[in-house]
Amino acid sequence: MSDKDVLNSMGFDPARVEWALRATNNKGLQPAMDFILEHNDDPIPDATSGAAETSSAQPQSVPMDEDDDEETAALRAVYGSPGAADQDDSGVEARSIKCSECGKIFKNTALANFHAEKSGHDQFEESTEEIKPLTEEEKQQKLLELREKMNEKRAKKAAEDAKEAKANELIRRKAGKEASQIKEDLKNKQILKDLEAKRREKEDDKKALAAIKAQIEADKRQRAQKAAQEKALRDGAAPPTDAAGSSAPSAAPAPTSVPGREFKDTRLQIRLASGGQPLTTTLPSDSTLREVAEFVAGQTLTVDVDTVTFTQQFPRKQFSASDFSRSLRDLGLTPSAVLIAS
């Protein structure tokens, strides 16, 4: 693991780690850590501007003074000596740069320029005051303070993350609840729709049954009248009359309307003479009997559209080829009927 990774893992600011490694010329972990602890409260200078200014204004190699430690020598190598080239008339060397407005002291011009950009201060002066390096105890205290700050920052970040996660969970639960409610509403609507369809189907069945019963009664009356008429003719008596006193007709008058004319659809059950499961379908009442034959032919290979015949058992009726062009409504098969296909 590199020195940079170790310092980052200790919780130091990555930008400050870069600054420390750059300032100490990557001379090791301990010099970089000491630099971070010593300059923890100092602003981080811009690496590009600082490097450019240093390279243009300072030589690449600066001799190390007798009183300089390794850290100071590294700073001199990067930033140059703050007042090495400038001495006052008394021959005293300037060891730092001081902000006349706030009183802060900086080791080099790069830090002073950075302070000027951030604070807007523009009054600086050279100072003979030297920034003393931190003792081991001060370094340890600084490290503890840094770790406490990092722990507080992490705890605050964890609390914010937990709060955000809780808010997201509430939103997710609310969305899930709304989705469940929508699904439940759709399910209830579908149940009501199915119940309404069943109710209409029962009403249609009742109407169809009533129509069939009426047709049966009409057929019974017709057969009774026909039998009475034939008997009177055989006996040579006058034809029987109905309740109104008129002679009974030879045949029942054709109904003015076909039962079930108001139904739009017709439910059919087709039983095959060859046996098997009955076929069921629902067709528009305007469909022809030929369409029924095509449906049956499409469901089984034993039926041919051109040769199939249909029979209705109740009331008994045989449909001919001429009926294939007539609609189910005209044939009296609405709203439901049972046919035998052979």
Side-chain angles (χ1 to χ4, degrees), residues 216-276:
I216 293 172
E217 294 297 328
D219 291 343
K220 285 182 179 180
R221 289 193 298 269
Q222 181 180 354
R223 287 195 297 270
Q225 291 173 359
K226 186 176 181 181
Q229 184 181 10
E230 290 176 353
K231 182 179 180 182
L233 291 176
R234 286 195 302 269
D235 296 342
T241 57
D242 55 12
S246 61
S247 176
S250 59
T256 57
S257 62
V258 179
R261 182 175 293 275
E262 69 274 11
F263 297 106
K264 295 182 180 180
D265 297 325
T266 301
R267 298 190 304 277
L268 296 175
Q269 184 183 88
I270 300 108
R271 299 177 181 175
L272 303 177
S274 58

Side-chain angles (χ1 to χ4, degrees), residues 61-99:
S61 177
V62 179
M64 184 171 69
D65 296 340
E66 295 180 358
D67 298 334
D68 289 346
D69 54 11
E70 292 183 359
E71 179 182 330
T72 306
L75 291 175
R76 287 177 178 274
V78 176
Y79 298 108
S81 181
D86 298 325
Q87 294 183 355
D88 55 14
D89 296 339
S90 61
V92 180
E93 180 181 356
R95 296 183 175 274
S96 61
I97 299 176
K98 182 178 181 180
C99 177

Side-chain angles (χ1 to χ4, degrees), residues 135-302:
T135 63
E136 290 297 326
E137 294 181 357
E138 291 175 338
K139 291 179 181 179
Q140 293 296 327
Q141 183 65 28
K142 282 283 186 180
L143 181 60
L144 291 176
E145 292 176 357
L146 285 175
R147 287 178 178 174
E148 289 178 358
K149 290 181 180 179
M150 290 301 301
N151 291 334
E152 291 177 359
K153 186 176 180 180
R154 290 172 182 171
K156 184 178 180 181
K157 184 67 168 59
E160 292 176 353
D161 292 342
K163 184 177 180 180
E164 183 178 357
K166 185 177 180 180
N168 293 335
E169 179 65 17
L170 291 176
I171 294 174
R172 186 190 66 79
R173 290 183 179 180
K174 183 178 180 181
K177 186 177 180 180
E178 291 176 352
S180 300
Q181 185 64 37
I182 292 174
K183 187 182 296 183
E184 186 68 20
D185 293 342
L186 292 176
K187 183 178 179 181
N188 293 335
K189 289 181 180 179
Q190 185 63 38
I191 292 175
L192 294 176
K193 186 177 180 180
D194 293 342
L195 291 175
E196 181 64 20
K198 289 182 179 179
R199 185 187 65 79
R200 289 197 301 266
E201 185 177 352
K202 287 182 180 180
E203 291 180 355
D204 294 344
D205 290 340
K206 288 180 180 179
K207 292 179 180 179
L209 182 59
I212 292 173
K213 288 182 178 180
Q215 184 66 38
I216 293 172
E217 294 297 328
D219 291 343
K220 285 182 179 180
R221 289 193 298 269
Q222 181 180 354
R223 287 195 297 270
Q225 291 173 359
K226 186 176 181 181
Q229 184 181 10
E230 290 176 353
K231 182 179 180 182
L233 291 176
R234 286 195 302 269
D235 296 342
T241 57
D242 55 12
S246 61
S247 176
S250 59
T256 57
S257 62
V258 179
R261 182 175 293 275
E262 69 274 11
F263 297 106
K264 295 182 180 180
D265 297 325
T266 301
R267 298 190 304 277
L268 296 175
Q269 184 183 88
I270 300 108
R271 299 177 181 175
L272 303 177
S274 58
Q277 187 72 19
L279 303 175
T280 58
T281 184
T282 300
L283 297 173
S285 298
D286 294 330
S287 302
T288 61
L289 192 60
R290 182 175 182 83
E291 294 182 43
V292 179
E294 292 174 351
F295 166 75
V296 177
Q299 300 295 319
T300 176
L301 299 176
T302 60

Side-chain angles (χ1 to χ4, degrees), residues 317-335:
K317 187 175 181 180
Q318 177 77 32
F319 297 98
S320 61
S322 61
D323 294 327
F324 274 45
S325 60
R326 300 178 62 187
S327 67
L328 302 178
R329 180 182 288 106
D330 294 338
L331 294 174
L333 299 177
T334 55

Side-chain angles (χ1 to χ4, degrees), residues 95-117:
R95 296 183 175 274
S96 61
I97 299 176
K98 182 178 181 180
C99 177
S100 302
E101 298 184 32
C102 64
K104 287 187 176 181
I105 300 175
F106 305 96
K107 275 192 172 184
N108 49 61
T109 56
L111 295 178
N113 290 335
F114 184 81
H115 173 72
E117 292 177 1

